Amino acid sequence: MVTKIVLTEDEMPRQWYNIQADLPSPLDPPLGPDGKPIGPEMLAPVFPMNLIEQEVSSRRWIDIPEPILEKLAIWRPSPLYRAHAFEKLLGCPVKIYYKNEGVSPAGSHKPNTAVPQAYYNKVFGIKRLTTETGAGQWGSALSMAGAMFGLEIKVYMVRISFDQKPFRKLMMQVWGANCIASPSAETSFGRSVLEKTPDTPGSLGIAISEAIEDAVQREDTRYSLGSVLNHVMLHQSIIGLEAKKQMEKAGDYPDVIIGCAGGGSNFAGIAFPFVLDKINGKEIDIVPVEPAACPTMTRGPYAYDHGDTAGMTPLLPMHTLGHEFVPAPIHAGGLRYHGMAPLVSKLVQEKLLRPVSLHQNECYKAALDWARTEGFISAPETSHALAAVVVEAQKAKEEGKEKTILFNWSGHGLMDLTGYDNFLSGRLEDVDFTDDQLKEGLKAIKGLPKPTGA
Amino acid sequence: MVTKIVLTEDEMPRQWYNIQADLPSPLDPPLGPDGKPIGPEMLAPVFPMNLIEQEVSSRRWIDIPEPILEKLAIWRPSPLYRAHAFEKLLGCPVKIYYKNEGVSPAGSHKPNTAVPQAYYNKVFGIKRLTTETGAGQWGSALSMAGAMFGLEIKVYMVRISFDQKPFRKLMMQVWGANCIASPSAETSFGRSVLEKTPDTPGSLGIAISEAIEDAVQREDTRYSLGSVLNHVMLHQSIIGLEAKKQMEKAGDYPDVIIGCAGGGSNFAGIAFPFVLDKINGKEIDIVPVEPAACPTMTRGPYAYDHGDTAGMTPLLPMHTLGHEFVPAPIHAGGLRYHGMAPLVSKLVQEKLLRPVSLHQNECYKAALDWARTEGFISAPETSHALAAVVVEAQKAKEEGKEKTILFNWSGHGLMDLTGYDNFLSGRLEDVDFTDDQLKEGLKAIKGLPKPTGA
């Protein structure tokens, strides 16, 4: 009985897969404040040119530089598992495989892009990176990568998380990063918010605005984003490329692929290399899972919208609930985002993906069953993928079909145990998204241009 | 440049190594209250007979049952790493290899024995296990193993840790265990302590007494210990057995082997299979590392002593500071134990090991350098091994010798970041062990029998 399929370092992929090469039709371009497509040079104050090139590239395969491979090798290739004990508990006719991205030093898939981003900034001559973080997974990952490549890292952490999760801040400090609460007095935007609302808990939107303002003001500084953008999806493709090799070693191929999706990067990571097979005719059910409280893909339209709340970023074509929408405070902080990666959104539009939404209580229920069978304690975000696995397994039973399910176990929940406490004590609430919320949210995108096919 | 040497599941050892078969002279037996050797049957109310058999066995190789292998396969074989970036930082003529035991669901080496202990109790017909935990690593590991084999787990957690580390308790609850603060009102010993000292912070000694009292009163219940005992060392030998195979794949062999040692189990795990080579003539420097605040091997005599503070356990032959000694509250809670495993103590006596002691500031310094080069954040206990690696590397440089160092990275520190906070802010104090402490501590063993060679 094989539990774990490992790859040696020699078997680690040497190229990332860029799905932009294989889209049925190309992605609509980002638009500037004037509604016109923006060129790469307009992003230059924010990102280094080598990453901008990846952002707009349509080359199918992009080489992974050796110094990046060396750092990735600390936790990659990540193991692929067969979840025997969980299968037994479910008693459904399914084989369940999962990719364990919790083995990275930061505990999630985030370092897969933090390391390349730090490297490309470093070789471009950048000395310092700014970023925002909500729950803290991304801020931790970039802090680690910054330490590895000798870059100064400044993290603007949403104040409420900063106060509630002192250990996340400590992790970043261990890696030498400077993590401060946002809104802060260190940017003019932060000061303006503090002046109006001194007691604000902060928001991801505010933190992004501060991080960008900080970055564009210093020649030696750039900004770094942990999801949504094309180059982030590219870097995460290593997950699915490894999984393909490992499934082959297992002598199996997935009927269903599942990943949770907030900005879309861990889902894209496991799914995109298989989406290529689907485009080429394979029959696979590919399922991104979002929270019912923030149902970007299942309720939000495909539209042009800003990536941040303040509307400082270019307009991107994506499924969105409106950039001013503030999702309910569910525990899966990484899934509380109003938009969805343009590449994931495009594939939803093309009907290559079948998004679903779930409530947090059923996610924690699945995560508890998982911990007590497979051992690992899942991040609140990851629990959404788990609950979708349960749904698919039960569906297979009802249909009387044998199925092979592959999902991305995107990270461990050791830094986020409070949600389990609330679940175990029955204090966890399910939140539904309302028609009124949708109506209110979409006001923010009224009058903006529409992408092709919207 | 190879960073990580992995083994497939097929290459996982199928037998544990029992060093009792190869000791230069046999271990002195445990003694009862009357000072006479006790037989296995006297331990039967506390441990199941199949584990007692392992405890006293002198068979060199003991088969690992298939159901245990299946669970161990969730994180084993654990990867062996070469610490390239840390080597570069040190600039010494050393190759540094480390075994990563932080990949287990509980984050340390503890599940290596928690899983077999749960299994053997289960097949012996036991329904419920009690144990104590200090910092929480062991309580977490046994909780996980209990969930996997359907055993009820009751953890008596030292009150001060219970109050200071709510997340550790939560981890155990996620795995379905019942974790309560010790002293508790649920045992007569706990009640007697609470009556005398209602505000006591508790101690490991009190918690052990409560766990044993609970276990011996119920036919369906046994007690489980996470270190010190021979069968625990046996279960941990899988670490070193894997490391041997991996070093062979790397085409290398260690000149120096290092592990931190509190009760001795993670050290024994990496070291014992190599001690066999040393007994057979190989030249290896094998170094257990203890805290300067609790220098059991470097300052304590080899003597008969109790394993717990209350003196409820049999007398064991070991290096000890006296069973009433209360070590200073250093952050490495897992190294705050007055005694040392009889097998490790015996090997120190035989001069097959060279114990050293270190202060916590130099340990955190090494752990910080490690996090910023290798990525992983070390447990406070593990940081002691790291600091010893630094010492050995610098010694190699001074001696102008090239050396290969292998050490056990026993666990991650994500649940124990407070120590890093204190270190980073300069609040961390080094504590020296004094002659007066030794004199005072040894009073507790005055008049007790002496083991052979003491």
Side-chain angles (χ1 to χ4, degrees):
Chain A
M1 192 168 91
V2 173
T3 294
K4 191 157 76 308
I5 297 125
V6 293
L7 298 176
T8 64
E9 224 165 289
D10 285 345
E11 295 171 295
M12 181 154 64
R14 257 56 189 168
Q15 296 181 308
W16 289 299
Y17 168 61
N18 181 11
I19 202 164
Q20 291 195 73
D22 294 301
L23 293 177
S25 65
L27 217 52
D28 282 330
L31 306 179
D34 57 359
K36 289 188 182 151
I38 59 166
E41 70 291 348
M42 285 189 66
L43 294 169
V46 182
F47 299 110
M49 198 47 76
N50 45 16
L51 281 176
I52 296 171
E53 279 163 16
Q54 289 189 347
E55 185 65 17
V56 300
S57 172
S58 57
R59 277 201 357 255
R60 181 171 292 118
W61 297 102
I62 294 179
D63 289 344
I64 310 178
E66 194 58 38
I68 294 177
L69 288 169
E70 279 173 20
K71 296 304 176 196
L72 293 181
I74 291 176
W75 69 95
R76 305 214 71 83
S78 71
L80 179 86
Y81 285 77
R82 177 85 185 273
H84 293 292
F86 193 64
E87 286 175 17
K88 198 173 158 192
L89 179 78
L90 295 181
C92 297
V94 291
K95 288 187 276 186
I96 301 171
Y97 292 89
Y98 69 99
K99 193 73 171 147
N100 183 349
E101 292 295 310
V103 294
S104 80
S108 79
H109 65 292
K110 291 291 185 193
N112 296 335
T113 185
V115 162
Q117 289 195 46
Y119 169 79
Y120 283 115
N121 274 283
K122 178 79 177 181
V123 299
F124 194 70
I126 302 303
K127 305 268 181 266
R128 185 171 168 274
L129 286 176
T130 66
T131 197
E132 76 293 328
T133 202
Q137 286 278 20
W138 168 244
S140 305
L142 193 67
S143 299
M144 182 200 80
M148 287 175 168
F149 288 104
L151 287 170
E152 200 184 317
I153 304 290
K154 173 78 162 272
V155 181
Y156 292 87
M157 185 170 186
V158 175
R159 177 173 292 280
I160 189 168
S161 293
F162 185 90
D163 291 341
Q164 285 176 350
K165 300 190 175 189
F167 291 112
R168 272 287 176 196
K169 178 186 61 188
L170 265 174
M171 267 179 95
M172 298 184 233
Q173 288 173 340
V174 167
W175 282 312
N178 180 5
C179 171
I180 63 167
S182 165
S184 76
E186 299 194 18
T187 66
S188 67
F189 183 70
R191 285 189 296 272
S192 77
V193 176
L194 284 174
E195 205 166 292
K196 274 177 261 168
T197 51
D199 294 331
T200 176
S203 75
L204 216 42
I206 297 168
I208 295 178
S209 304
E210 287 203 87
I212 295 179
E213 179 187 324
D214 180 330
V216 298
Q217 280 181 351
R218 284 177 56 167
E219 192 54 48
D220 67 348
T221 302
R222 290 294 181 279
Y223 166 72
S224 178
L225 188 63
S227 192
V228 179
L229 299 177
N230 303 342
H231 66 272
V232 178
M233 309 296 128
L234 176 77
H235 300 156
Q236 295 292 357
S237 69
I238 195 166
I239 301 172
L241 294 170
E242 287 176 6
K244 265 190 155 174
K245 288 193 192 190
Q246 287 162 314
M247 289 299 291
E248 208 177 302
K249 286 200 184 210
D252 226 329
Y253 191 89
D255 300 302
V256 186
I257 293 174
I258 293 170
C260 63
S265 77
N266 101 73
F267 168 76
I270 190 106
F272 282 7
F274 291 94
V275 171
L276 174 57
D277 292 358
K278 187 165 181 172
I279 290 170
N280 291 331
K282 270 269 190 196
E283 206 174 296
I284 326 174
D285 191 13
I286 307 181
V287 183
V289 189
E290 59 189 11
C294 189
T296 316
M297 293 172 285
T298 52
R299 299 292 303 278
Y302 182 60
Y304 264 115
D305 197 3
H306 295 286
D308 68 319
T309 307
M312 288 174 70
T313 73
L315 291 167
L316 300 170
M318 58 183 179
H319 277 277
T320 179
L321 300 170
H323 61 270
E324 286 173 5
F325 173 63
V326 179
I330 55 167
H331 283 281
L335 306 184
R336 293 179 67 240
Y337 184 65
H338 70 275
M340 180 49 62
L343 283 169
V344 174
S345 298
K346 175 79 177 174
L347 296 172
V348 172
Q349 276 308 97
E350 300 282 353
K351 305 211 185 318
L352 287 160
L353 311 179
R354 179 175 64 84
V356 300
S357 73
L358 294 172
H359 290 102
Q360 63 180 348
N361 269 298
E362 72 181 297
C363 298
Y364 276 102
K365 164 75 171 65
L368 207 73
D369 285 342
W370 182 263
R372 292 177 183 183
T373 49
E374 297 296 320
F376 292 107
I377 295 178
S378 312
E381 293 80 8
T382 312
S383 76
H384 285 70
L386 269 170
V389 168
V390 175
V391 170
E392 292 305 313
Q394 286 165 344
K395 201 199 292 176
K397 192 174 188 176
E398 284 157 23
E399 293 172 353
K401 279 187 193 163
E402 289 189 2
K403 284 190 185 173
T404 297
I405 300 173
L406 167 66
F407 81 99
N408 199 25
W409 196 78
S410 55
H412 67 64
L414 298 184
M415 311 298 288
D416 303 275
L417 288 165
T418 312
Y420 285 93
D421 193 21
N422 291 337
F423 175 71
L424 286 165
S425 56
R427 289 195 307 267
L428 198 66
E429 281 178 25
D430 279 341
V431 189
D432 271 307
F433 182 80
T434 66
D435 292 342
D436 281 351
Q437 278 182 301
L438 183 62
K439 209 168 128 188
E440 189 61 30
L442 296 187
K443 281 184 189 167
I445 58 169
K446 221 170 196 171
L448 293 177
K450 300 253 177 280
T452 314
Chain B
M1 191 167 91
V2 173
T3 295
K4 192 158 78 302
I5 297 126
V6 293
L7 298 176
T8 64
E9 223 165 290
D10 285 344
E11 295 171 297
M12 183 155 61
R14 257 59 189 164
Q15 296 181 310
W16 290 299
Y17 168 61
N18 181 10
I19 202 164
Q20 291 195 73
D22 295 300
L23 293 176
S25 64
L27 217 53
D28 282 328
L31 305 180
D34 57 359
K36 287 188 184 149
I38 60 166
E41 69 292 347
M42 285 190 67
L43 293 169
V46 181
F47 301 109
M49 198 47 75
N50 45 15
L51 281 176
I52 296 171
E53 278 163 18
Q54 289 189 348
E55 184 65 17
V56 300
S57 172
S58 56
R59 281 207 348 260
R60 182 172 291 117
W61 298 100
I62 294 179
D63 289 343
I64 309 177
E66 194 59 37
I68 294 177
L69 288 170
E70 280 173 19
K71 297 303 177 196
L72 293 181
I74 291 176
W75 69 96
R76 308 214 69 86
S78 70
L80 180 86
Y81 285 77
R82 176 86 184 270
H84 292 292
F86 192 64
E87 286 176 15
K88 199 174 157 191
L89 179 78
L90 294 181
C92 297
V94 291
K95 287 187 277 186
I96 300 172
Y97 293 89
Y98 70 99
K99 193 74 171 146
N100 183 349
E101 292 295 310
V103 294
S104 80
S108 79
H109 65 291
K110 291 291 186 194
N112 296 336
T113 185
V115 162
Q117 288 195 47
Y119 168 79
Y120 284 113
N121 274 283
K122 178 79 178 181
V123 299
F124 194 71
I126 302 304
K127 306 270 182 263
R128 185 170 168 273
L129 286 176
T130 66
T131 197
E132 76 293 328
T133 201
Q137 286 278 22
W138 169 242
S140 306
L142 193 67
S143 299
M144 182 200 79
M148 287 175 168
F149 289 103
L151 287 169
E152 199 184 319
I153 304 291
K154 174 78 163 271
V155 181
Y156 292 87
M157 185 169 186
V158 175
R159 177 172 293 279
I160 190 168
S161 294
F162 185 90
D163 291 339
Q164 287 175 350
K165 300 191 175 188
F167 291 112
R168 272 288 176 197
K169 178 187 60 187
L170 265 172
M171 269 180 94
M172 296 183 234
Q173 289 174 339
V174 168
W175 282 311
N178 180 5
C179 171
I180 63 167
S182 164
S184 76
E186 299 192 19
T187 66
S188 68
F189 183 68
R191 285 188 296 273
S192 77
V193 176
L194 284 174
E195 205 166 293
K196 274 179 258 165
T197 51
D199 295 331
T200 177
S203 75
L204 215 44
I206 297 169
I208 295 178
S209 304
E210 286 202 270
I212 294 178
E213 180 186 325
D214 180 330
V216 297
Q217 280 181 352
R218 284 177 55 167
E219 192 53 47
D220 67 348
T221 301
R222 292 293 183 279
Y223 167 72
S224 178
L225 188 63
S227 192
V228 180
L229 299 178
N230 302 341
H231 66 273
V232 178
M233 309 296 128
L234 175 76
H235 300 156
Q236 295 291 359
S237 70
I238 194 166
I239 302 172
L241 294 170
E242 287 177 6
K244 265 190 158 174
K245 288 193 191 189
Q246 288 162 314
M247 289 299 291
E248 207 177 303
K249 286 200 185 212
D252 226 330
Y253 192 89
D255 300 301
V256 186
I257 293 174
I258 293 170
C260 64
S265 76
N266 101 74
F267 167 77
I270 190 108
F272 281 8
F274 291 94
V275 171
L276 174 57
D277 292 358
K278 187 165 182 172
I279 290 171
N280 290 332
K282 272 268 190 193
E283 206 174 296
I284 327 174
D285 191 13
I286 307 181
V287 184
V289 189
E290 61 189 11
C294 187
T296 316
M297 293 172 285
T298 53
R299 300 290 303 278
Y302 182 61
Y304 264 115
D305 197 3
H306 295 286
D308 68 320
T309 308
M312 288 175 70
T313 74
L315 291 168
L316 299 170
M318 58 183 179
H319 277 274
T320 180
L321 299 170
H323 60 270
E324 286 172 5
F325 172 63
V326 179
I330 55 167
H331 283 281
L335 306 184
R336 293 179 66 240
Y337 184 64
H338 70 274
M340 180 51 60
L343 283 169
V344 174
S345 298
K346 174 81 178 173
L347 295 172
V348 171
Q349 276 307 97
E350 299 284 352
K351 303 207 185 324
L352 286 160
L353 311 178
R354 178 174 65 83
V356 301
S357 73
L358 295 172
H359 289 103
Q360 63 179 349
N361 269 298
E362 72 180 299
C363 298
Y364 275 102
K365 165 75 170 67
L368 207 72
D369 286 341
W370 183 262
R372 293 178 182 182
T373 49
E374 297 295 320
F376 293 107
I377 295 178
S378 312
E381 293 80 9
T382 312
S383 75
H384 285 70
L386 269 170
V389 169
V390 174
V391 169
E392 291 306 312
Q394 287 165 345
K395 200 200 291 176
K397 192 174 187 176
E398 284 157 23
E399 292 172 354
K401 279 189 194 164
E402 290 189 1
K403 283 190 186 173
T404 296
I405 300 173
L406 167 66
F407 81 99
N408 199 25
W409 196 79
S410 55
H412 68 63
L414 298 184
M415 309 299 288
D416 304 275
L417 288 165
T418 312
Y420 284 93
D421 193 20
N422 291 337
F423 175 71
L424 285 165
S425 56
R427 289 196 306 268
L428 198 67
E429 281 178 25
D430 279 341
V431 189
D432 271 308
F433 181 81
T434 66
D435 291 343
D436 281 352
Q437 278 181 302
L438 183 62
K439 210 169 127 188
E440 190 61 30
L442 297 187
K443 282 183 187 166
I445 58 170
K446 220 170 195 171
L448 293 177
K450 300 253 175 281
T452 315

